[in-house]
Amino acid sequence: MKKNILKLATLALGLMTIFGLTSCDDDDMMMESSMEKTITFENIVAPKDFVESGSFQGTNTPVIMPGESVSVKFSAGKAQSLMFATMYGASKDWFFASKQPGIKLFDANGNAITGDVSSEVLLWDNGTKDNTTGTAQSNPIAQVPGVTASQLVKLDLSYDIMRSEFTLMITNTSGGTVNATPLSPGVWAVSNYNGSQLLNSAPFFTPNALSNPEITDIAQMGDIAKMVTKLNANTGIMTGLSPALVVVYSGNQNPIYQLGQLDPGNGLKEISQTGDVMKLQNSLKAMSNVKGVYVAGNAPVAPGSKVMTNFTYTPGDKIAYVTMFGFSNDWFYANEQIIDANTTGDLTSKTALFDSGTGVNQYPGAGNRQALFGGTPQAESIVISKVGTQYPVPAVQNVLKVTVN
């Protein structure tokens, strides 16, 4: 009897041990089991017609008299051009401007055009007033016949190749001619380029069509107020985004970048300059603390588009992400704060815009060394930093939305 009781007790102890071990193993397996989430990157920037715009006027008075000059500084890439407009003051409704889409700035080989470009200026009749009586008319905009605009206005271009910045000198040379005239204050603009075309290929007006209130005020009164208001509302930096790279890792150090340190050469330069994630992807996979690397998208992410990817993680893991600010020389969006992989919801507020410090900056969306225009940034080696206020870049939440669910 004692032997049977001993056997039962031993069996019970064994079963308890087995169940106990099984329970512990199940807990460990539950703790180590992977989970899955989806991260989405949306380009929500509002495209504007113009990347830059502004106005000009005389030095001593708003009017630019014969013999006087004014200058305009602006940035542009190979596909872009400059449009400007100013009133031929001694007329009822004439104005100076170039052909559409503006003054040509680069030749067929992509070299900046400099020097005298006066041949680009034309004289236009707005078609809203009779040229003799000044009575109202409703005719299409057309070139003024018999007047050579380049004899009245001289245009001279110079170029800063590092900044991809032009200076246009406008000189009133009409003095002593039969068409002597003051020039009114004027306006200028550079159309945004999306990688394949200008967003506005006919800024200010359309030849052989009826005029609009903004150019009419310039042509009839030299009043640029309406045009400036319209330009301000339609001018702004926009951008595409590159495919986004997401990494799941352990520890508390972001493996993609470290603020205040030089680019480590693991592929951040490539994604920040050209949007190429391959080198960074391979570098991260080789790191001991990296659990997984994922890529959302396989092509540039245009405004209004989004990309997403699933990722797996275990409790305690962190995630980090990076995508190129496409219309820059070497900028990237990334999470500024450490993010637990189990986080759900909108991560945009945890995201910032950074400069990788590997290429000299130019005006976003108007720099000839940017990948957007087929260029290669001029090399530099400074520490990774947040992008400041040198350029009027939209706030992160107006360009990018990052969510996890």
Side-chain angles (χ1 to χ4, degrees):
M1 185 67 175
K2 288 182 179 179
K3 289 182 179 180
N4 289 336
I5 293 174
L6 182 60
K7 287 180 180 179
L8 290 173
T10 303
L11 178 61
L13 180 61
L15 289 173
M16 288 177 63
T17 303
I18 291 171
F19 284 130
L21 289 173
T22 302
S23 177
C24 290
D25 287 344
D26 285 346
D27 288 344
D28 290 343
M29 288 175 66
M30 289 176 63
M31 288 297 291
E32 293 299 324
S33 63
S34 61
M35 291 166 279
E36 185 175 82
K37 288 185 181 293
T38 301
I39 186 167
T40 302
F41 300 86
E42 298 180 68
N43 186 338
I44 59 173
V45 70
K48 300 291 184 75
D49 279 355
F50 307 106
V51 64
E52 275 190 286
S53 65
S55 62
F56 58 87
Q57 64 179 37
T59 303
N60 299 315
T61 64
V63 173
I64 305 162
M65 298 301 294
E68 294 183 343
S69 300
V70 294
S71 64
V72 171
K73 285 185 180 293
F74 60 95
S75 296
K78 292 174 185 175
Q80 294 168 307
S81 53
L82 176 77
M83 176 55 75
F84 81 101
T86 177
M87 180 189 182
Y88 179 107
S91 73
K92 299 296 190 289
D93 67 339
W94 292 357
F95 65 97
F96 291 102
S98 75
K99 294 179 182 179
Q100 305 289 18
I103 298 170
K104 188 176 180 180
L105 302 170
F106 296 91
D107 63 22
N109 296 319
N111 299 313
I113 296 172
T114 59
D116 191 336
V117 292
S118 303
S119 59
E120 293 280 318
V121 68
L122 299 171
L123 184 59
W124 302 88
D125 185 332
N126 195 55
T128 50
K129 283 191 174 183
D130 182 273
N131 293 328
T132 303
T133 66
T135 56
Q137 292 182 329
S138 184
N139 295 326
I141 295 174
Q143 280 187 246
V144 175
V147 180
T148 304
S150 60
Q151 296 177 353
L152 309 178
V153 176
K154 182 181 179 183
L155 305 180
D156 191 84
L157 276 175
S158 58
Y159 183 60
D160 181 336
I161 191 170
M162 180 178 291
R163 295 172 59 87
S164 196
E165 184 180 78
F166 288 88
T167 299
L168 175 67
M169 183 70 70
I170 304 171
T171 304
N172 184 339
T173 57
S174 68
T177 73
V178 296
N179 297 106
T181 181
L183 306 178
S184 74
V187 289
W188 62 270
V190 177
S191 293
N192 255 315
Y193 178 68
N194 67 5
S196 61
Q197 63 183 16
L198 296 174
L199 268 62
N200 191 329
S201 59
F204 298 2
F205 68 97
T206 302
N208 303 315
L210 295 178
S211 189
N212 55 68
E214 295 80 21
I215 205 69
T216 294
D217 274 9
I218 294 175
Q220 293 185 169
M221 301 176 290
D223 185 350
I224 63 174
K226 285 183 182 177
M227 184 64 83
V228 168
T229 298
K230 185 174 182 178
L231 289 175
N232 287 343
N234 289 282
T235 300
I237 292 171
M238 67 173 209
T239 188
L241 305 172
S242 73
L245 184 147
V246 181
V247 57
V248 178
Y249 68 99
S250 60
N252 291 311
Q253 181 167 302
N254 189 326
I256 295 175
Y257 78 98
Q258 287 297 303
L259 194 66
Q261 296 185 15
L262 292 174
D263 168 52
N266 62 4
L268 182 63
K269 171 185 173 181
E270 284 72 15
I271 194 170
S272 68
Q273 291 192 6
T274 66
D276 185 354
V277 302
M278 185 172 295
K279 183 176 179 180
L280 183 58
Q281 183 179 18
N282 291 333
S283 296
L284 291 171
K285 285 180 178 179
M287 295 182 182
S288 59
N289 66 326
V290 169
K291 303 288 193 69
V293 183
Y294 309 85
V295 177
N298 55 16
V301 185
S305 301
K306 63 183 177 182
V307 292
M308 62 187 67
T309 183
N310 296 332
F311 65 89
T312 59
Y313 68 98
T314 56
D317 287 345
K318 311 293 193 307
I319 60 168
Y321 48 84
V322 59
T323 180
M324 180 190 182
F325 185 102
F327 290 12
S328 72
N329 295 73
D330 66 336
W331 294 355
F332 64 94
Y333 286 111
N335 53 300
E336 184 177 14
Q337 304 172 30
I338 291 177
I339 300 174
D340 191 289
N342 198 41
T343 300
T344 299
D346 194 331
L347 303 183
T348 309
S349 63
K350 301 179 184 295
T351 308
L353 180 60
F354 298 92
D355 184 334
S356 72
T358 59
V360 176
N361 292 326
Q362 297 172 326
Y363 199 99
N368 212 26
R369 282 185 170 269
Q370 293 164 3
L372 173 67
F373 300 101
T376 301
Q378 180 169 337
E380 68 176 356
S381 183
I382 59 177
V383 299
I384 297 168
S385 62
K386 292 180 69 173
V387 171
T389 58
Q390 180 181 0
Y391 305 106
V393 181
V396 174
Q397 65 268 21
N398 294 328
V399 179
L400 174 67
K401 184 176 182 180
V402 184
T403 52
V404 173
N405 54 46

